[in-house]
Amino acid sequence: MFDFKPRPQIPLDLEIRSGSPTEVELAILQARTRRHFLRSLGGGLGTLVLGTLASRLAPSAKAAGAETAALDFSRDARAPLSPLPPQFPAKVRRVIYLHMAGAPSQLELFEHKPELKRFDGQDCPASFLAGKRFAFISGVPKLLGSQYPFHQAGQSGQWVSDRLPYIEKRLDDICFIKSMRTDQFNHAPAQLLVHTGNPRLGYPSFGSWVVYGLGTENQNLPGFIVLLSGGKTPDGGKQLWSSGFLPSVYQGVQCRSHGEPVLYLDNPEGVSRSLRRSMLDTIDDINQQTYAAFGNPETVTRIAQYEMAFRMQMDATDAMDIRKEPEAVHAQYGSKPGQASFANNCLVARRLAERGVRFIQLYHWGWDSHGADAKEALNLGFNDRCREVDQPTAALLSDLKSRGLLEDTLVVWGGEFGRTPMRENRGGQEMKYVGRDHNPGAFTIWLAGGGIKSGISHGETDDMGYEIVKDPVEIRDLHATLLYLLGFDHHKLNYRFQGLEQKLTSVKPARVVSEILA
Amino acid sequence: MNVLRIFDQSSGPSMTAPKPAGLNRFRLGSVMLAPILVVTILIAFLPPDGNERAHWVQFLGRFHPLLVHFPIALFLLVPILEIVGRSARFAYLHLSINFVLALATLAATTAAILGWCLGRSGGYSGSLITQHMCGGILLTLICWLCWLLRTELREFGVTYRIALTLGVGLVAWTGYRGGQLSLGRNHLTEHMPNGLRHLLGVEDSSAASASSVDPNTFYGARIQPIFTAHCISCHGADKQKGNLRLDSYRALMRGGKDGIVIQTGNIQGSDLFRRITLPVGQDDFMPKGKPPLTADEMKTIELWIGAGASDRLAISAIKGAPSGSAVPAEVKFEEVDPAAVARLRSAIAPAVAELQKQFPNILDYDSRGAADLRLNASILGGKFGDRDLEAFAPVAGHIIVADFSRTAITDHSAADIAAMKQLRVLRLTATRLTDATLLRLESLNQLESLDVYGTPITPAVLPTIAKLPKLAHFYAGQTSIRPGGSVPASLLGKLVF
């Protein structure tokens, strides 16, 4: 097929005057890539001829153009987060993403595998190991049955282990994808893949894409807020909520769930709000002059961020202050004001969702159950993690539901990969604690909320829970599905960078998992 | 008529000195005609019937596509030689034309015989193959005729020219039919660039292949799509291996050369089911040379045969059929046509723009392609009151989602809310609205979701709310409405606490 896609015209003889390039010149320089250079070498004349031909075949060229017409995401430079309607009517208006950093074991939570239990303690078959790379397993490991009993629960009769007594009560609201697959078996790249669609650094996170595409209605709060618990930042680091090549105004804003939500947000002693205002006005003036001279869009981002911080002084403090919640709510979530806990963060997440924050990302660290020490043992630390997230997660779901917010909110729960049905044998030795190694071949995540079927399970793994046997879902498929729920064709939510229409789902074909759509 | 002329001219008195050699050559002409007549008779009495025959017929038949290009090239060479030979410089070309024509006739005859072998060896029947064969035989005859006219009768006039022209046309037509047989009916236009397609007015046939099956029956919705996906490339309109077609219910039930393939209600006796469930690689396995059907597809077919294999059964008639369609429905992304959107919004666009300036960020279109509006006043909280809501009156009829949670609106706004006739979602969480407002909402017959969480609403509104025809969720937590109270039957299952 011919590709008549119109390309922006890059003047080839551009000369930048020394000193101060205009905004246009700067944009042109930024948009210039090796591809432009190569094209200008030989392709120029050919493109000209093809272009003429294309305009002759006018109807088709127009049709092809319409097919690939880019959506306009441009905004007033001073309000880069202003809301934009989705491409088509959307079921989901906001996302609460609960990322379980370290990869929780699906075999101890949602994947009921009685056959694996039967083979517990036996040598792992050679076919499981051929051609596979593991983070720690070496030699021939033993198979390891689930450490906890499973039972069916809810009207939907889905299987769940006894570790999640609260989430068990919400099973009928949950849609499991048990056939998630990734191609990364180490935490940081796998987390990057889950969050940015790419295992390498430098790509915008899912939340950044969403805020870039939809903006946010509440201009007094960031559109993309990040809350951490579990004592450590995920292995992927702050890259997980970075805006990558998108303007940095779309990056996630990490907030604290106790004390000052954002450090140094309060005015210092002796500085009144009006004094702060006049100071900001002066800084804005200087920034405006800088922008006029250099035309760097990041300067506009800086002005907008100062302004937002000023507005946030009031609203963020209020939104994050869970002391205002009644005692019954704290009992429901298990939250205690003044702590840094997943429970507090879940409650904050609900308060933020109410206030129109577009993307709320929670991380809970400590799921990496290798069994190398007590903290990361399936029979010890894993239990603590379950206790820490079970009640608040269930409370978040039921709270959102009773307030009518679950209708257009999507809650996502999951890690970055799965865990092996083999017991980890670091260095070929049996370890003191029970644990499992990383398994990128199959893991479980679940969704709850608007636009998806509830009380169902999509995809299947084999009897050992090792490999997917039905309906595999790639990370990019999940992203395409979530973007679809938010009202976007994942091809259309794109941003031109380095000569390519960059998108969350990257370049491999992604499929919207239509089977789980309500 | 030509045959008559042959006799006239060869034996008539006008020939001054009939040469015995000429007569011999005429006999040679008859000898060359004989095999053509043989293959004509073969085609007439033993036409391809779709049944498969192995061994030498099939072996020879496979050489047809290889050999068929020789007569084509040789025959097309003749008019070229004739025309170019007119120039004095190339007059010598005339000398070779007779030889080329004789060669073309021989090649065409051989190709026709091999073609019959191929057609006979199975998989072909129908009008396409008949046309291709008739074209082939006619072309062979024309080759022979041209050769006869030129060598024996020294006829270079109108008859010869007409025959030659006819032959060229036949080469094109027969060749096209042959291409359709091997590459599919639309093989020439299938991959035509869209621009050219548009210019020539060629329909995109892949889009327009609607089948006549009823999509509301189990057969139409679940069974035929399986056959269409896996089977009809060999058992369809263009090829009928084993004389079996699976592109319609009637053809399916008629069966193939080995008899019927579906025994209604009898799974074991249904040859089709036996073959699709064989291990891959077995002789009888179907679809031959392709990946097997999925377990769900086999199960669907099994259940359907077991239930009587009717084409009338409703989709829901068979319980326990694997969920979803055999091939999962793919999501289609709607395209936004800016001109159509502008037309759609023309009536309200100025008012919307004005309101967006006055109340930034809380009013927007539902999507880039819609004229429906969403109003999210909850962002302004207590700063949004009854006066503000009045301003939205000009666009009230277009608002489909309205969120007044935590705003300062009171029962004075009841009329303004009731004017939003298209409302699907209404959120009044943590407002001071009372029963007075809710009792006025009975005209909102599009309302699907109503949220009064944390308001002074009482159970007195329930009878009114129960009348809302489309209501699916009524969020009544933190009100004086209690689960288990006297809830009207039509609200059961819709109340959320």
Side-chain angles (χ1 to χ4, degrees), chain B residues 73-75 77-78 81 96-105 147:
Chain B
L74 287 168
F75 188 79
L77 192 58
V78 174
L81 293 176
S96 45
I97 294 177
N98 285 356
F99 177 73
V100 172
L101 264 175
L103 214 55
T105 312
W147 175 72

Side-chain angles (χ1 to χ4, degrees), chain A residues 177-226:
Chain A
I177 303 179
K178 294 190 171 167
S179 51
M180 285 305 303
R181 194 157 72 182
T182 175
D183 53 21
Q184 297 297 321
F185 71 101
N186 278 323
H187 295 289
Q191 285 168 357
L192 282 170
L193 181 62
V194 166
H195 287 84
T196 71
N198 206 301
R200 286 170 294 280
L201 302 172
Y203 292 82
S205 73
F206 183 30
S208 298
W209 278 113
V210 173
V211 177
Y212 165 70
L214 292 172
T216 185
E217 286 161 331
N218 191 338
Q219 297 289 303
N220 299 343
L221 286 172
F224 177 11
I225 292 183
V226 176

Side-chain angles (χ1 to χ4, degrees), chain B residues 435-480:
Chain B
D435 294 358
T437 297
L438 253 67
L439 292 173
R440 295 189 59 179
L441 300 183
E442 58 186 342
S443 60
L444 297 181
N445 53 23
Q446 299 298 313
L447 200 63
E448 295 162 15
S449 169
L450 177 58
D451 190 348
V452 297
Y453 183 95
T455 55
I457 302 294
T458 72
V461 300
L462 291 176
T464 309
I465 301 302
K467 283 186 216 145
L468 294 170
K470 289 200 175 167
L471 195 74
H473 298 293
F474 181 46
Y475 300 95
Q478 303 295 315
T479 64
S480 58

Side-chain angles (χ1 to χ4, degrees), chain A residues 179-183 192-199 206 443 472-484 489-491 503-513, chain B residues 333:
Chain A
S179 51
M180 285 305 303
R181 194 157 72 182
T182 175
D183 53 21
L192 282 170
L193 181 62
V194 166
H195 287 84
T196 71
N198 206 301
F206 183 30
F443 66 109
V473 177
E474 304 287 346
I475 301 290
R476 54 182 178 276
D477 299 336
L478 177 71
H479 286 159
T481 310
L482 299 183
L483 288 181
Y484 178 77
D489 167 354
H490 57 275
H491 302 99
K503 49 190 197 288
L504 174 63
T505 50
S506 199
V507 291
K508 286 183 187 162
R511 176 179 178 271
V512 174
V513 186
Chain B
F333 301 113

